[in-house]
Amino acid sequence: MFDGAAPMTAIMPVTRAGHPDGDLWLNVNGEERQRDSLDSQIWSVSEIISRISQSVALRAGDLIMTGSPAGVDVLQPGDIVNAGIDGIGQLEMRVGQRP
């Protein structure tokens, strides 16, 4: 864990977003590094929630992070990252300098 880890868009409730079935993708400096279908997850969203809730109490607003598609790599200061989920939203950020 470190400052600026896990940037994300505003949280969108399922009542507004539905259950997306598009791709999760990530570009760095305009080059695609990651892309995969949400349908290719090992467990469905309901299975993930069920398994986690057996160990910890989940409350409204909790976030569950499940990992990402192949293509993870090092980011450099100044890199511009654009990521999103089809039909849901996207974010863009510039990687900052290390202190």
Side-chain angles (χ1 to χ4, degrees), residues 7 9 24-28 34 80-85 89-93:
T9 65
L24 170 85
W25 50 269
L26 181 133
N27 299 329
V28 178
Q34 294 180 283
I80 297 176
V81 178
N82 186 273
I85 298 175
Q90 64 180 8
L91 67 82
E92 183 172 294
M93 62 169 225

Side-chain angles (χ1 to χ4, degrees), residues 51-71:
R51 288 175 182 260
I52 291 173
S53 66
Q54 293 173 25
S55 302
V56 298
L58 292 173
R59 296 186 172 90
D62 285 348
L63 299 176
I64 299 170
M65 297 185 182
T66 62
S68 63

Side-chain angles (χ1 to χ4, degrees), residues 1-98:
M1 184 170 176
F2 52 90
D3 289 344
M8 60 190 66
T9 65
I11 297 171
M12 187 180 303
V14 71
T15 54
R16 185 168 151 214
H19 295 279
D21 60 2
D23 283 358
L24 170 85
W25 50 269
L26 181 133
N27 299 329
V28 178
N29 301 323
E31 180 181 323
E32 187 170 280
R33 285 211 188 157
Q34 294 180 283
R35 178 176 292 273
D36 207 346
S37 169
L38 292 171
D39 291 338
S40 69
Q41 295 184 114
I42 295 170
W43 295 301
S44 69
V45 171
S46 60
E47 289 171 318
I48 292 167
I49 292 170
S50 174
R51 288 175 182 260
I52 291 173
S53 66
Q54 293 173 25
S55 302
V56 298
L58 292 173
R59 296 186 172 90
D62 285 348
L63 299 176
I64 299 170
M65 297 185 182
T66 62
S68 63
V72 173
D73 200 357
V74 175
L75 296 172
Q76 301 297 324
D79 282 347
I80 297 176
V81 178
N82 186 273
I85 298 175
D86 291 343
I88 299 296
Q90 64 180 8
L91 67 82
E92 183 172 294
M93 62 169 225
R94 179 182 297 270
V95 176
Q97 300 291 326
R98 293 184 183 193

